[in-house]
Amino acid sequence: MRKLIVFILVLFVFSACNRPVQHSPGDTKTSDNNLKVAVFAGNGASSICVLETIEALKIDSAIKAETISAAEIQKGMLGEFDVIIFPGGSGSKELNNLGQSGIEIIREFVQEKGKGIVGICAGSYILTSTSGYPSLALSSSEHIDRDHYNRGRGLIEIKLSSKGDKIFPEIAGKRVFLQYYDGPVLAPIETDNGPYTELAGFVTDIHPDNYAPVGITPGETFMFNQQSGNGKLISISGHPESTPGMRWLVPRMARWAAGSELSGYDKKWIRPEINDSAIFFDKANKRLENRLFWRLFDDDPQIQIQAMDKLYQLRSRPAVRWYMGMLRDKKAEIRKRAAELLKLCEYTAALPDLTQCYRTETNNETKDVLSEAIVFLGGEKLMDK
């Protein structure tokens, strides 16, 4: 009897964590709990962006995500998938790697076969129909202020539209911040696909060190979706896959593009409240980030911990991978703090490092923290191997 009660409770919790969110009639097809998503990993795609996109997709237990190369696309393997995601990196290099025949396959995949496509940062560039820029020309958007495309990186604020609220109701009416790295500033243009629907706009005025003109980004499109032929696309200028508390946006976007039921996710991943201000990496913050990196090699553990904590406060994107190295420091307090920060950053890609360090850890307090981080990130089964 006791085992039956436990089973029912587990079943209830699982169902609650995977319940569908509210969506408008006609926005989705009937429930489809077996989505196959391809993440482009050819030349031009950043290996870090590919890795973090795959990791973010794992939040959705019904999505099976795999990488795909230009050669595999040409071989016909894209037909096995429901959605393709083009991640961050270099949009022009990704297009070059696809080649003309690959571009034709992608267009057919979306517009004729009715499949989905998601563009993240560089991927957002190539979904546009920008005159004079190599693109897939699948959307009714162009990127503006091309002279300052390399605007920089940092945490920026965006604002969802009423349409965005329907797809992402968990953050409706809330202040939202996402990582940004040279993403396109988007504006609508007329194409045969009809107008796009803005889901979110820029709030932060991005002009670090007066490199770019003032007033370009606020109010312009940051994220949009639209029908493209028989298929659907969704485009975002930032990096939700590398933003703790917001990584769940990636599987949600994939589901929308597939026309699938918009499944809900465990609340531990939905934490927009952890960010409350924009932090951009101007020259001063870049210099600070570099100084903090070198302090990680200091012999004084307090200096090391202060450096790690400050990097976290700055929301430094590369720092999360530096914490992985700190797991192997000789001082237990450093290993402990690194594990805590990897948990805060939701860095599931660090699970192999965390589990190996857990197996060899001799300090009981640090071992407990490693265990907590592993369980939170979903790797508890790895500890038994």
Coordinates of all heavy atoms in Angstrom, one line a residue, residues 217-310:
T217 N 18.6 50.9 -30.6 CA 18.0 49.6 -30.2 C 16.6 49.7 -29.5 O 15.7 48.9 -29.7 CB 18.9 48.8 -29.3 OG1 19.4 49.6 -28.2 CG2 20.1 48.3 -30.2
P218 N 16.4 50.7 -28.6 CA 15.1 50.7 -27.9 C 13.9 50.7 -28.8 O 13.8 51.5 -29.7 CB 15.2 52.0 -27.0 CG 16.7 52.2 -26.9 CD 17.3 51.8 -28.2
G219 N 13.0 49.8 -28.5 CA 11.7 49.8 -29.3 C 11.8 48.9 -30.5 O 10.8 48.6 -31.1
E220 N 13.0 48.5 -31.0 CA 13.1 47.7 -32.2 C 12.9 46.2 -31.8 O 13.0 45.8 -30.6 CB 14.5 47.9 -32.8 CG 14.8 49.3 -33.3 CD 13.9 49.7 -34.5 OE1 13.1 48.9 -35.0 OE2 13.9 50.9 -34.8
T221 N 12.6 45.4 -32.8 CA 12.3 44.0 -32.5 C 13.5 43.2 -32.1 O 14.6 43.2 -32.7 CB 11.7 43.4 -33.8 OG1 10.6 44.1 -34.2 CG2 11.3 41.9 -33.6
F222 N 13.3 42.4 -31.0 CA 14.3 41.5 -30.4 C 13.9 40.1 -30.7 O 14.8 39.2 -31.0 CB 14.3 41.7 -28.9 CG 15.3 40.8 -28.2 CD1 16.7 41.2 -28.1 CD2 14.9 39.7 -27.6 CE1 17.6 40.4 -27.5 CE2 15.8 38.8 -27.0 CZ 17.1 39.2 -26.9
M223 N 12.6 39.8 -30.8 CA 12.2 38.4 -31.0 C 10.8 38.5 -31.8 O 10.0 39.3 -31.5 CB 12.0 37.6 -29.7 CG 11.4 36.2 -29.9 SD 11.5 35.2 -28.4 CE 10.8 36.2 -27.1
F224 N 10.7 37.6 -32.8 CA 9.4 37.5 -33.5 C 9.2 36.1 -34.0 O 10.0 35.3 -34.0 CB 9.5 38.5 -34.7 CG 10.4 38.1 -35.8 CD1 9.9 37.3 -36.8 CD2 11.7 38.6 -35.9 CE1 10.8 36.9 -37.9 CE2 12.5 38.2 -36.9 CZ 12.1 37.3 -37.9
N225 N 7.9 35.9 -34.4 CA 7.6 34.6 -35.1 C 6.7 34.9 -36.3 O 6.2 36.0 -36.4 CB 7.0 33.6 -34.1 CG 5.6 34.1 -33.6 OD1 5.1 35.2 -34.0 ND2 5.0 33.3 -32.8
Q226 N 6.6 33.9 -37.2 CA 5.7 34.1 -38.3 C 5.6 32.8 -39.1 O 6.4 31.9 -38.9 CB 6.2 35.2 -39.3 CG 7.4 34.9 -40.1 CD 7.7 36.0 -41.2 OE1 8.6 36.7 -41.0 NE2 6.8 36.1 -42.2
Q227 N 4.6 32.7 -39.9 CA 4.5 31.7 -40.9 C 5.4 31.9 -42.1 O 5.6 33.1 -42.5 CB 3.0 31.6 -41.4 CG 2.7 30.3 -42.1 CD 2.3 29.2 -41.2 OE1 2.0 29.4 -40.0 NE2 2.4 28.0 -41.7
S228 N 6.0 30.9 -42.6 CA 6.9 31.0 -43.7 C 6.5 29.9 -44.7 O 7.0 28.7 -44.4 CB 8.4 30.9 -43.3 OG 9.2 31.1 -44.4
G229 N 5.8 30.2 -45.7 CA 5.2 29.1 -46.5 C 4.3 28.2 -45.7 O 3.5 28.7 -44.9
N230 N 4.6 26.9 -45.7 CA 3.8 26.0 -44.9 C 4.4 25.8 -43.5 O 3.8 25.1 -42.7 CB 3.8 24.6 -45.6 CG 3.0 24.7 -46.9 OD1 2.0 25.3 -47.0 ND2 3.5 23.9 -47.9
G231 N 5.6 26.4 -43.2 CA 6.2 26.1 -42.0 C 6.2 27.4 -41.1 O 5.6 28.4 -41.4
K232 N 6.8 27.2 -39.9 CA 6.8 28.3 -38.9 C 8.3 28.6 -38.5 O 9.1 27.7 -38.5 CB 6.1 27.8 -37.6 CG 4.6 27.7 -37.8 CD 4.0 27.4 -36.4 CE 2.4 27.5 -36.5 NZ 1.8 27.4 -35.1
L233 N 8.5 29.8 -38.2 CA 9.8 30.2 -37.7 C 9.7 31.1 -36.5 O 8.7 31.8 -36.4 CB 10.7 30.9 -38.8 CG 10.3 32.2 -39.4 CD1 10.8 33.4 -38.5 CD2 10.8 32.4 -40.8
I234 N 10.8 31.1 -35.7 CA 10.9 32.0 -34.6 C 12.3 32.5 -34.5 O 13.2 31.7 -34.7 CB 10.4 31.4 -33.3 CG1 10.3 32.4 -32.1 CG2 11.2 30.2 -32.9 CD1 9.4 31.9 -31.0
S235 N 12.5 33.7 -34.2 CA 13.8 34.4 -34.3 C 14.1 35.2 -33.0 O 13.2 35.9 -32.6 CB 13.9 35.3 -35.5 OG 15.0 36.1 -35.5
I236 N 15.3 35.1 -32.5 CA 15.6 35.8 -31.3 C 17.0 36.4 -31.4 O 17.9 35.6 -31.8 CB 15.4 35.0 -30.0 CG1 15.6 35.8 -28.7 CG2 16.3 33.8 -30.0 CD1 15.1 35.1 -27.5
S237 N 17.2 37.6 -31.0 CA 18.5 38.3 -31.2 C 19.5 38.0 -30.1 O 20.7 38.3 -30.2 CB 18.3 39.8 -31.3 OG 17.6 40.1 -32.5
G238 N 19.0 37.4 -29.0 CA 19.9 37.2 -27.8 C 20.2 35.7 -27.6 O 20.0 34.9 -28.5
H239 N 20.6 35.4 -26.4 CA 21.1 34.0 -26.1 C 20.4 33.5 -24.8 O 20.9 33.4 -23.7 CB 22.6 34.0 -25.8 CG 23.4 34.2 -27.1 ND1 23.7 33.1 -27.9 CD2 23.9 35.3 -27.7 CE1 24.4 33.6 -28.9 NE2 24.5 34.9 -28.8
P240 N 19.1 33.0 -25.0 CA 18.4 32.4 -23.8 C 19.1 31.2 -23.3 O 19.1 30.9 -22.1 CB 17.0 32.1 -24.3 CG 17.2 32.0 -25.8 CD 18.3 33.0 -26.2
E241 N 19.8 30.4 -24.2 CA 20.4 29.2 -23.8 C 21.6 29.4 -22.8 O 22.0 28.5 -22.1 CB 21.0 28.5 -25.1 CG 22.3 29.0 -25.7 CD 22.1 30.2 -26.5 OE1 21.0 30.8 -26.6 OE2 23.2 30.7 -27.0
S242 N 22.1 30.6 -22.8 CA 23.2 30.9 -21.8 C 22.8 31.9 -20.7 O 23.6 32.5 -20.1 CB 24.4 31.5 -22.6 OG 24.0 32.8 -23.2
T243 N 21.5 32.0 -20.5 CA 20.9 32.9 -19.5 C 20.3 32.1 -18.4 O 19.2 31.5 -18.6 CB 19.9 33.9 -20.1 OG1 20.5 34.5 -21.2 CG2 19.5 34.9 -19.0
P244 N 20.9 31.9 -17.2 CA 20.3 31.1 -16.1 C 18.9 31.7 -15.8 O 18.7 32.9 -15.9 CB 21.2 31.4 -15.0 CG 22.5 31.6 -15.6 CD 22.3 32.4 -16.9
G245 N 17.9 30.8 -15.6 CA 16.6 31.3 -15.3 C 15.7 31.4 -16.5 O 14.5 31.6 -16.4
M246 N 16.4 31.5 -17.7 CA 15.6 31.7 -19.0 C 15.9 30.7 -20.1 O 15.5 30.8 -21.2 CB 16.0 33.1 -19.5 CG 15.7 34.2 -18.5 SD 13.9 34.4 -18.1 CE 13.3 34.9 -19.7
R247 N 16.7 29.6 -19.7 CA 17.1 28.7 -20.7 C 15.9 27.9 -21.3 O 15.9 27.4 -22.4 CB 18.1 27.7 -20.2 CG 19.4 28.3 -19.7 CD 20.4 27.3 -19.3 NE 19.9 26.3 -18.4 CZ 20.0 25.0 -18.6 NH1 20.6 24.5 -19.6 NH2 19.4 24.2 -17.7
W248 N 14.8 27.8 -20.5 CA 13.6 27.1 -20.9 C 12.9 27.8 -22.2 O 12.1 27.1 -22.8 CB 12.6 27.1 -19.8 CG 12.2 28.4 -19.3 CD1 12.9 29.2 -18.4 CD2 11.1 29.2 -19.7 NE1 12.3 30.4 -18.2 CE2 11.1 30.4 -19.0 CE3 10.0 29.0 -20.6 CZ2 10.2 31.4 -19.1 CZ3 9.1 30.0 -20.7 CH2 9.2 31.2 -20.0
L249 N 13.3 29.0 -22.5 CA 12.8 29.6 -23.7 C 13.1 28.8 -24.9 O 12.4 28.8 -25.9 CB 13.3 31.1 -23.8 CG 12.4 32.2 -23.3 CD1 12.3 32.1 -21.8 CD2 13.0 33.6 -23.7
V250 N 14.3 28.2 -24.9 CA 14.7 27.4 -26.1 C 13.8 26.3 -26.5 O 13.3 26.2 -27.6 CB 16.2 27.0 -26.0 CG1 16.7 26.2 -27.2 CG2 17.1 28.2 -25.7
P251 N 13.5 25.3 -25.6 CA 12.6 24.3 -25.9 C 11.2 24.8 -26.2 O 10.5 24.3 -27.1 CB 12.6 23.4 -24.7 CG 13.1 24.2 -23.6 CD 14.1 25.1 -24.2
R252 N 10.8 25.9 -25.5 CA 9.5 26.5 -25.8 C 9.4 27.0 -27.3 O 8.4 26.8 -28.0 CB 9.2 27.6 -24.8 CG 7.8 28.3 -25.0 CD 6.6 27.5 -24.8 NE 6.6 26.8 -23.4 CZ 6.3 27.5 -22.3 NH1 6.0 28.8 -22.3 NH2 6.3 26.8 -21.1
M253 N 10.5 27.7 -27.7 CA 10.5 28.2 -29.1 C 10.5 27.0 -30.1 O 9.8 27.1 -31.1 CB 11.8 29.0 -29.3 CG 11.8 30.4 -28.6 SD 13.1 31.5 -29.0 CE 14.5 30.5 -28.5
A254 N 11.2 26.0 -29.8 CA 11.2 24.8 -30.7 C 9.9 24.2 -30.8 O 9.4 23.8 -31.9 CB 12.2 23.8 -30.1
R255 N 9.1 24.1 -29.7 CA 7.8 23.6 -29.7 C 6.9 24.5 -30.5 O 6.0 24.0 -31.3 CB 7.2 23.4 -28.3 CG 7.7 22.2 -27.6 CD 7.0 22.0 -26.3 NE 7.3 20.6 -25.8 CZ 6.6 19.6 -26.0 NH1 5.5 19.6 -26.9 NH2 6.9 18.4 -25.5
W256 N 7.0 25.8 -30.4 CA 6.1 26.7 -31.2 C 6.4 26.5 -32.7 O 5.5 26.4 -33.5 CB 6.3 28.1 -30.8 CG 5.3 29.0 -31.5 CD1 4.1 29.4 -31.1 CD2 5.5 29.5 -32.8 NE1 3.4 30.1 -32.1 CE2 4.3 30.2 -33.1 CE3 6.5 29.5 -33.8 CZ2 4.1 30.9 -34.4 CZ3 6.3 30.2 -35.0 CH2 5.1 30.8 -35.3
A257 N 7.7 26.4 -33.0 CA 8.1 26.3 -34.4 C 7.6 25.0 -35.0 O 7.3 24.9 -36.2 CB 9.6 26.4 -34.6
A258 N 7.5 23.9 -34.2 CA 7.0 22.6 -34.6 C 5.5 22.6 -34.7 O 4.9 21.6 -35.2 CB 7.5 21.5 -33.7
G259 N 4.8 23.6 -34.1 CA 3.4 23.6 -34.1 C 2.9 22.6 -33.0 O 1.8 22.0 -33.1
S260 N 3.7 22.3 -32.0 CA 3.4 21.3 -31.0 C 2.8 22.0 -29.8 O 2.9 23.2 -29.6 CB 4.6 20.6 -30.6 OG 4.4 19.6 -29.7
E261 N 2.2 21.2 -28.9 CA 1.7 21.7 -27.6 C 2.8 22.4 -26.8 O 3.9 21.8 -26.7 CB 1.1 20.5 -26.8 CG 0.4 20.9 -25.6 CD -0.3 19.7 -24.9 OE1 0.4 18.7 -24.9 OE2 -1.3 19.9 -24.3
L262 N 2.5 23.5 -26.3 CA 3.5 24.3 -25.5 C 3.5 23.8 -24.1 O 2.9 24.3 -23.2 CB 3.1 25.8 -25.6 CG 3.0 26.4 -27.0 CD1 2.8 27.9 -26.9 CD2 4.3 26.1 -27.8
S263 N 4.4 22.8 -23.9 CA 4.5 22.2 -22.6 C 5.1 23.1 -21.5 O 6.0 23.9 -21.8 CB 5.3 20.9 -22.7 OG 5.5 20.3 -21.5
G264 N 4.6 22.9 -20.3 CA 5.2 23.7 -19.2 C 6.4 23.0 -18.6 O 6.7 21.8 -18.9
Y265 N 7.2 23.7 -17.8 CA 8.5 23.2 -17.3 C 8.6 23.4 -15.8 O 7.9 24.2 -15.2 CB 9.7 23.9 -18.0 CG 9.6 23.7 -19.5 CD1 9.6 24.7 -20.4 CD2 9.5 22.4 -20.1 CE1 9.5 24.5 -21.8 CE2 9.4 22.2 -21.4 CZ 9.4 23.3 -22.3 OH 9.3 23.1 -23.6
D266 N 9.5 22.6 -15.2 CA 9.8 22.7 -13.8 C 10.1 24.1 -13.4 O 10.9 24.8 -14.0 CB 10.9 21.8 -13.5 CG 11.1 21.5 -12.0 OD1 11.0 22.5 -11.2 OD2 11.4 20.4 -11.6
K267 N 9.5 24.6 -12.4 CA 9.7 26.0 -11.9 C 11.1 26.3 -11.6 O 11.5 27.5 -11.5 CB 8.7 26.3 -10.8 CG 7.3 26.4 -11.2 CD 6.4 26.8 -10.0 CE 4.9 26.9 -10.5 NZ 4.0 27.2 -9.3
K268 N 11.9 25.3 -11.2 CA 13.3 25.6 -10.8 C 14.1 26.2 -12.0 O 15.1 26.9 -11.8 CB 14.0 24.4 -10.3 CG 14.4 23.4 -11.4 CD 15.1 22.2 -10.8 CE 15.5 21.2 -11.8 NZ 16.2 20.0 -11.2
W269 N 13.6 26.0 -13.2 CA 14.3 26.6 -14.4 C 13.8 28.0 -14.7 O 14.5 28.7 -15.5 CB 14.2 25.7 -15.6 CG 14.6 24.3 -15.5 CD1 13.8 23.2 -15.7 CD2 15.9 23.8 -15.1 NE1 14.5 22.0 -15.4 CE2 15.8 22.4 -15.1 CE3 17.1 24.4 -14.8 CZ2 16.9 21.6 -14.8 CZ3 18.2 23.6 -14.4 CH2 18.1 22.2 -14.4
I270 N 12.7 28.4 -14.2 CA 12.0 29.6 -14.6 C 12.3 30.7 -13.5 O 11.6 30.8 -12.5 CB 10.5 29.4 -14.8 CG1 10.3 28.3 -15.9 CG2 9.8 30.7 -15.3 CD1 8.9 27.8 -16.0
R271 N 13.3 31.5 -13.7 CA 13.8 32.4 -12.6 C 14.1 33.8 -13.2 O 15.3 34.2 -13.1 CB 15.0 31.8 -11.9 CG 14.8 30.5 -11.2 CD 16.0 30.0 -10.5 NE 17.1 29.8 -11.4 CZ 18.4 30.0 -11.1 NH1 18.7 30.5 -9.9 NH2 19.4 29.7 -12.0
P272 N 13.2 34.5 -13.8 CA 13.5 35.8 -14.4 C 13.9 36.8 -13.3 O 14.6 37.8 -13.6 CB 12.2 36.2 -15.0 CG 11.1 35.4 -14.3 CD 11.7 34.1 -14.0
E273 N 13.5 36.5 -12.0 CA 13.7 37.5 -10.9 C 15.2 37.6 -10.5 O 15.6 38.5 -9.8 CB 12.9 37.1 -9.7 CG 13.3 35.8 -9.0 CD 12.8 34.5 -9.7 OE1 12.0 34.7 -10.7 OE2 13.1 33.4 -9.2
I274 N 16.1 36.6 -11.0 CA 17.5 36.7 -10.5 C 18.2 37.8 -11.2 O 19.3 38.1 -10.8 CB 18.2 35.3 -10.8 CG1 18.3 35.0 -12.3 CG2 17.5 34.2 -10.0 CD1 19.1 33.8 -12.6
N275 N 17.7 38.4 -12.2 CA 18.3 39.6 -12.9 C 17.4 40.8 -12.7 O 16.2 40.7 -13.0 CB 18.6 39.3 -14.3 CG 19.5 38.1 -14.5 OD1 20.6 38.1 -13.9 ND2 19.1 37.2 -15.3
D276 N 18.0 41.9 -12.4 CA 17.1 43.1 -12.2 C 17.7 44.4 -12.8 O 17.2 45.5 -12.7 CB 16.9 43.4 -10.7 CG 18.2 43.6 -9.9 OD1 19.2 43.7 -10.5 OD2 18.1 43.7 -8.7
S277 N 18.9 44.2 -13.6 CA 19.4 45.4 -14.3 C 20.3 44.9 -15.4 O 20.8 43.8 -15.4 CB 20.3 46.2 -13.3 OG 21.3 45.5 -12.8
A278 N 20.5 45.8 -16.4 CA 21.3 45.5 -17.5 C 22.8 45.6 -17.1 O 23.1 46.5 -16.3 CB 21.0 46.4 -18.7
I279 N 23.6 44.7 -17.6 CA 25.1 44.8 -17.3 C 25.8 44.6 -18.7 O 25.9 43.5 -19.2 CB 25.5 43.7 -16.3 CG1 24.7 43.7 -15.1 CG2 27.0 43.9 -16.0 CD1 24.9 42.5 -14.2
F280 N 26.4 45.7 -19.2 CA 27.0 45.6 -20.5 C 28.5 45.6 -20.4 O 29.1 46.3 -19.5 CB 26.5 46.7 -21.5 CG 26.4 46.1 -22.9 CD1 25.3 45.4 -23.3 CD2 27.4 46.4 -23.8 CE1 25.2 44.9 -24.5 CE2 27.3 45.9 -25.1 CZ 26.2 45.1 -25.5
F281 N 29.2 44.8 -21.2 CA 30.6 44.8 -21.2 C 31.3 45.8 -22.1 O 31.7 45.6 -23.2 CB 31.1 43.3 -21.5 CG 31.1 42.4 -20.4 CD1 29.9 41.9 -19.9 CD2 32.2 42.1 -19.7 CE1 29.8 41.1 -18.8 CE2 32.2 41.3 -18.6 CZ 31.0 40.8 -18.1
D282 N 31.3 47.0 -21.5 CA 32.1 48.1 -22.1 C 33.6 47.8 -21.8 O 33.9 46.8 -21.2 CB 31.7 49.5 -21.5 CG 31.7 49.6 -20.0 OD1 32.3 48.7 -19.4 OD2 31.1 50.5 -19.5
K283 N 34.4 48.8 -22.2 CA 35.9 48.6 -22.0 C 36.2 48.3 -20.5 O 37.1 47.5 -20.2 CB 36.7 49.7 -22.6 CG 36.6 49.8 -24.1 CD 37.4 51.1 -24.6 CE 37.3 51.2 -26.1 NZ 38.0 52.4 -26.6
A284 N 35.6 49.1 -19.6 CA 35.9 49.0 -18.2 C 35.5 47.6 -17.7 O 36.3 47.0 -17.0 CB 35.1 50.1 -17.4
N285 N 34.4 47.1 -18.0 CA 34.0 45.8 -17.6 C 34.8 44.6 -18.2 O 35.0 43.6 -17.6 CB 32.5 45.5 -17.8 CG 31.6 46.0 -16.7 OD1 32.1 46.2 -15.5 ND2 30.3 46.3 -16.9
K286 N 35.2 44.8 -19.4 CA 36.1 43.8 -20.1 C 37.4 43.8 -19.3 O 38.0 42.7 -19.1 CB 36.3 44.2 -21.5 CG 35.1 43.9 -22.4 CD 35.4 44.4 -23.9 CE 34.2 44.2 -24.8 NZ 34.5 44.7 -26.2
R287 N 38.0 44.9 -19.0 CA 39.2 44.9 -18.2 C 39.0 44.3 -16.9 O 39.9 43.5 -16.4 CB 39.7 46.4 -18.1 CG 40.3 47.0 -19.4 CD 41.1 48.2 -19.1 NE 40.2 49.3 -18.6 CZ 39.7 50.2 -19.4 NH1 39.9 50.2 -20.7 NH2 38.9 51.2 -18.8
L288 N 37.9 44.6 -16.2 CA 37.6 44.0 -14.9 C 37.5 42.5 -15.0 O 38.1 41.7 -14.2 CB 36.3 44.6 -14.3 CG 35.8 44.0 -13.0 CD1 36.9 44.1 -11.9 CD2 34.5 44.7 -12.6
E289 N 36.8 42.0 -16.0 CA 36.6 40.6 -16.2 C 38.0 39.9 -16.4 O 38.2 38.8 -15.9 CB 35.8 40.3 -17.5 CG 35.5 38.9 -17.8 CD 34.7 38.7 -19.1 OE1 35.1 39.3 -20.1 OE2 33.7 38.0 -19.1
N290 N 38.9 40.5 -17.1 CA 40.2 40.0 -17.4 C 41.0 39.9 -16.1 O 41.7 38.9 -15.8 CB 40.9 40.8 -18.4 CG 42.3 40.2 -18.8 OD1 42.3 39.1 -19.3 ND2 43.3 40.9 -18.6
R291 N 40.9 41.0 -15.3 CA 41.6 41.0 -14.0 C 41.1 39.9 -13.1 O 41.9 39.2 -12.4 CB 41.5 42.3 -13.3 CG 42.3 43.5 -14.0 CD 42.5 44.6 -13.0 NE 41.2 45.2 -12.6 CZ 40.5 46.1 -13.2 NH1 41.0 46.6 -14.4 NH2 39.4 46.6 -12.7
L292 N 39.8 39.7 -13.1 CA 39.2 38.7 -12.2 C 39.6 37.3 -12.6 O 39.8 36.4 -11.8 CB 37.7 38.9 -12.2 CG 37.1 40.1 -11.6 CD1 35.6 40.3 -11.9 CD2 37.3 40.1 -10.0
F293 N 39.7 37.1 -13.9 CA 40.2 35.8 -14.4 C 41.6 35.5 -13.8 O 41.8 34.4 -13.3 CB 40.2 35.8 -15.9 CG 40.9 34.6 -16.5 CD1 40.3 33.3 -16.5 CD2 42.2 34.7 -16.9 CE1 41.0 32.2 -16.9 CE2 42.9 33.5 -17.4 CZ 42.3 32.3 -17.4
W294 N 42.5 36.4 -13.8 CA 43.8 36.1 -13.3 C 43.9 35.9 -11.8 O 44.7 35.3 -11.3 CB 44.8 37.2 -13.8 CG 45.1 37.1 -15.3 CD1 44.6 38.0 -16.2 CD2 45.8 36.1 -15.9 NE1 45.0 37.5 -17.5 CE2 45.8 36.4 -17.3 CE3 46.5 35.0 -15.5 CZ2 46.4 35.6 -18.2 CZ3 47.1 34.2 -16.4 CH2 47.1 34.5 -17.8
R295 N 42.9 36.5 -11.1 CA 42.8 36.3 -9.7 C 42.4 34.9 -9.3 O 42.6 34.5 -8.2 CB 41.9 37.3 -9.1 CG 42.4 38.8 -9.1 CD 41.4 39.7 -8.5 NE 41.9 41.1 -8.7 CZ 41.2 42.2 -8.4 NH1 39.9 42.1 -8.0 NH2 41.7 43.4 -8.6
L296 N 41.8 34.2 -10.2 CA 41.5 32.8 -10.0 C 42.7 31.9 -9.7 O 42.6 30.8 -9.1 CB 40.7 32.2 -11.2 CG 39.3 32.9 -11.5 CD1 38.7 32.2 -12.7 CD2 38.4 32.9 -10.3
F297 N 43.9 32.4 -10.1 CA 45.1 31.7 -9.9 C 45.8 32.1 -8.6 O 46.9 31.6 -8.3 CB 46.1 31.9 -11.1 CG 45.5 31.4 -12.4 CD1 44.8 32.2 -13.3 CD2 45.8 30.0 -12.8 CE1 44.4 31.7 -14.5 CE2 45.3 29.5 -14.0 CZ 44.6 30.4 -14.8
D298 N 45.2 33.0 -7.8 CA 45.9 33.5 -6.6 C 46.0 32.3 -5.6 O 45.2 31.4 -5.6 CB 45.0 34.6 -6.0 CG 45.9 35.5 -5.1 OD1 46.0 35.1 -3.9 OD2 46.3 36.5 -5.6
D299 N 46.9 32.4 -4.7 CA 47.1 31.4 -3.6 C 46.2 31.7 -2.5 O 45.9 30.7 -1.7 CB 48.6 31.5 -3.1 CG 49.6 31.0 -4.1 OD1 49.2 30.1 -5.0 OD2 50.7 31.5 -4.1
D300 N 45.6 32.9 -2.4 CA 44.7 33.2 -1.3 C 43.3 32.8 -1.7 O 42.7 33.3 -2.6 CB 44.7 34.7 -1.0 CG 43.9 35.1 0.2 OD1 43.0 34.4 0.6 OD2 44.2 36.2 0.8
P301 N 42.6 31.8 -1.0 CA 41.3 31.4 -1.3 C 40.2 32.5 -1.3 O 39.3 32.5 -2.0 CB 41.0 30.3 -0.3 CG 41.9 30.5 0.8 CD 43.2 31.1 0.2
Q302 N 40.4 33.5 -0.4 CA 39.4 34.5 -0.3 C 39.5 35.4 -1.6 O 38.4 35.8 -2.0 CB 39.7 35.4 1.0 CG 39.4 34.7 2.3 CD 38.0 34.1 2.3 OE1 37.1 34.8 2.0 NE2 37.9 32.9 2.7
I303 N 40.6 35.6 -2.1 CA 40.8 36.4 -3.3 C 40.1 35.6 -4.5 O 39.4 36.2 -5.3 CB 42.2 36.7 -3.6 CG1 42.7 37.8 -2.6 CG2 42.4 37.3 -5.1 CD1 44.2 38.1 -2.7
Q304 N 40.4 34.3 -4.5 CA 39.8 33.5 -5.5 C 38.3 33.5 -5.4 O 37.6 33.6 -6.5 CB 40.3 32.0 -5.4 CG 41.8 31.8 -5.7 CD 42.2 30.4 -5.5 OE1 42.3 30.0 -4.3 NE2 42.4 29.6 -6.5
I305 N 37.7 33.3 -4.3 CA 36.3 33.3 -4.1 C 35.6 34.6 -4.4 O 34.6 34.7 -5.1 CB 35.9 32.8 -2.7 CG1 36.2 31.4 -2.5 CG2 34.4 33.1 -2.4 CD1 36.1 30.8 -1.1
Q306 N 36.3 35.7 -4.0 CA 35.8 37.0 -4.3 C 35.8 37.3 -5.8 O 34.8 37.9 -6.4 CB 36.7 38.1 -3.7 CG 36.5 38.2 -2.2 CD 37.5 39.1 -1.5 OE1 38.3 39.8 -2.2 NE2 37.5 39.1 -0.2
A307 N 36.8 36.8 -6.5 CA 36.8 36.9 -8.0 C 35.7 36.1 -8.6 O 35.0 36.6 -9.6 CB 38.2 36.4 -8.5
M308 N 35.5 34.9 -8.2 CA 34.4 34.1 -8.7 C 33.1 34.7 -8.5 O 32.2 34.7 -9.4 CB 34.4 32.7 -8.1 CG 35.6 31.8 -8.6 SD 35.3 30.0 -8.1 CE 35.7 30.1 -6.4
D309 N 32.9 35.2 -7.3 CA 31.6 35.9 -7.0 C 31.3 37.1 -7.8 O 30.2 37.4 -8.3 CB 31.5 36.2 -5.5 CG 31.3 34.9 -4.6 OD1 31.0 33.9 -5.2 OD2 31.5 35.1 -3.4
K310 N 32.4 37.9 -8.0 CA 32.3 39.1 -8.8 C 32.0 38.8 -10.2 O 31.1 39.5 -10.9 CB 33.5 40.0 -8.7 CG 33.4 41.3 -9.4 CD 32.3 42.2 -8.9 CE 32.2 43.5 -9.6 NZ 31.1 44.3 -9.1

